[in-house]
């Protein structure tokens, strides 16, 4: 009786969180979130009124200042999820949540503290820092849901494909996470940045999803390189 030798399937692997590489990624993740929350207090519009390309009517592109940096949070989240696993990603999300709340509380304390007799920028400070609490609420609600979905989808897909299909799981997890994150953020933060109509809201939401996903897809080759570099240098992977 003959038997056919089969090679064992590789196990799903993750590195230990006890690594200086993880510490750097965690710090970067938290900084990106906090800075994005402050930058998001400014609404940004590209174009003025409706404009057209040939017979195609277009509306201004509406976004906020957080859009410049926030996509990096999902890129770092993908790297953490792929290399270190869901528990590590969840820790990063919770640390980012705590840092965002601390930042909002600090801005609130500074805002209500009595200004010096020679300080002339109280109104400007309130205009910038005042909406931070609402922005933080929108951000942490959206990003906790989005990041956990992003990490969960990526890790579940990795359980099926092992080390193969990295680009596919990065793209799929990003799409799911960014859509949930952006919708929740836009729904809560819209009034804080001056959005007062459903048309502008849907513009804000759709542009946000397309832009964030597009940024992640554009830098995906670099994300793949970073993930590969970390996997080769993490002794516990």
């Amino acid at each position: 009786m003959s038997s056919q030798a089969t090679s064992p399937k590789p196990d799903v692997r993750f590195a230990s969180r006890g690594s200086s590489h993880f510490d750097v990624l965690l710090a970067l993740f938290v900084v990106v979130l906090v800075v994005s929350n402050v930058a998001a207090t400014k609404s940004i519009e590209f174009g003025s009124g409706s404009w057209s390309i040939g017979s195609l009517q277009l509306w201004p592109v509406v976004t906020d200042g957080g859009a410049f940096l926030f996509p990096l949070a999902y890129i770092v989240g993908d790297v953490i999820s792929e290399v270190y696993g869901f528990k590590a990603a969840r820790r990063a999300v919770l640390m980012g949540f705590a840092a965002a709340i601390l930042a909002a509380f600090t801005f609130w304390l500074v805002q209500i503290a009595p200004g010096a007799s020679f300080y002339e920028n109280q109104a400007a400070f309130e205009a910038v820092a005042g909406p931070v609490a609402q922005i933080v609420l929108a951000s942490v609600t959206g990003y906790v849901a989005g990041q956990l979905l992003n990490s969960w989808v990526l890790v579940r897909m990795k359980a099926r494909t092992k080390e193969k299909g990295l680009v596919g799981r990065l793209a799929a997890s990003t799409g799911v996470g960014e859509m949930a994150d952006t919708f929740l953020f836009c729904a809560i933060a819209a009034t804080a940045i001056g959005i007062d109509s459903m048309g502008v809201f849907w513009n804000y939401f759709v542009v946000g999803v397309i832009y964030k996903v597009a940024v992640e897809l554009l830098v995906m080759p670099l994300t793949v390189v970073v993930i590969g570099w970390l996997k080769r240098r993490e002794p516990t992977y």
Side-chain angles (χ1 to χ4, degrees):
M1 185 175 179
S2 61
S3 60
Q4 184 178 2
T6 58
S7 57
K9 293 183 179 180
D11 294 329
V12 179
R13 292 179 292 168
F14 296 106
S16 168
R17 288 171 291 177
S19 159
S20 59
H21 298 312
F22 176 73
D23 292 343
V24 171
L25 291 170
L26 178 61
L28 177 61
F29 186 87
V30 172
V31 168
V32 167
L33 181 68
V34 172
V35 173
S36 295
N37 286 338
V38 178
T41 60
K42 178 177 179 177
S43 55
I44 296 173
E45 181 178 285
F46 295 100
S48 178
S50 61
W51 48 291
S52 60
I53 300 178
S55 60
L56 179 64
Q57 283 291 120
L58 301 173
W59 295 95
V61 173
V62 177
T63 185
D64 61 71
F68 290 103
L69 188 61
F70 189 72
L72 183 57
Y74 271 83
I75 295 168
V76 177
D78 282 341
V79 173
I80 292 174
S81 299
E82 174 67 23
V83 179
Y84 301 96
F86 182 75
K87 289 184 179 180
R90 184 175 61 192
R91 172 173 289 191
V93 169
L94 293 177
M95 287 298 297
F97 173 87
I101 296 298
L102 177 62
F105 181 68
T106 302
F107 279 120
W108 176 74
L109 281 180
V110 174
Q111 181 177 326
I112 65 173
S117 59
F118 52 82
Y119 183 69
E120 300 177 352
N121 299 315
Q122 180 66 22
F125 184 87
E126 290 179 2
V128 174
V132 167
Q134 186 174 347
I135 295 292
V136 167
L137 174 62
S139 176
V140 297
T141 301
Y143 116 98
V144 166
Q147 285 285 356
L148 291 179
L149 274 173
N150 176 69
S151 179
W152 184 82
V153 170
L154 190 149
V155 171
R156 292 292 294 177
M157 291 181 70
K158 185 174 181 178
R160 290 175 174 270
T161 60
K162 307 298 189 290
E163 293 299 311
K164 298 178 181 179
L166 175 59
V167 171
R169 60 180 173 266
L170 288 175
S173 62
T174 291
V176 172
E178 289 284 19
M179 187 169 295
D181 185 342
T182 305
F183 180 79
L184 290 172
F185 177 84
C186 292
I188 298 172
T191 57
I193 64 172
I195 293 176
D196 57 2
S197 72
M198 287 304 296
V200 178
F201 169 81
W202 288 115
N203 184 324
Y204 186 39
F205 168 66
V206 172
V207 168
V209 172
I210 293 174
Y211 167 75
K212 292 171 186 175
V213 171
V215 169
E216 294 211 34
L217 291 177
L218 285 172
V219 301
M220 191 171 291
L222 178 59
T223 305
V224 171
V225 169
V226 171
I227 288 172
W229 185 88
L230 282 170
K231 286 179 177 179
R232 291 190 299 272
R233 282 161 178 77
E234 284 289 10
T236 59
Y237 188 80

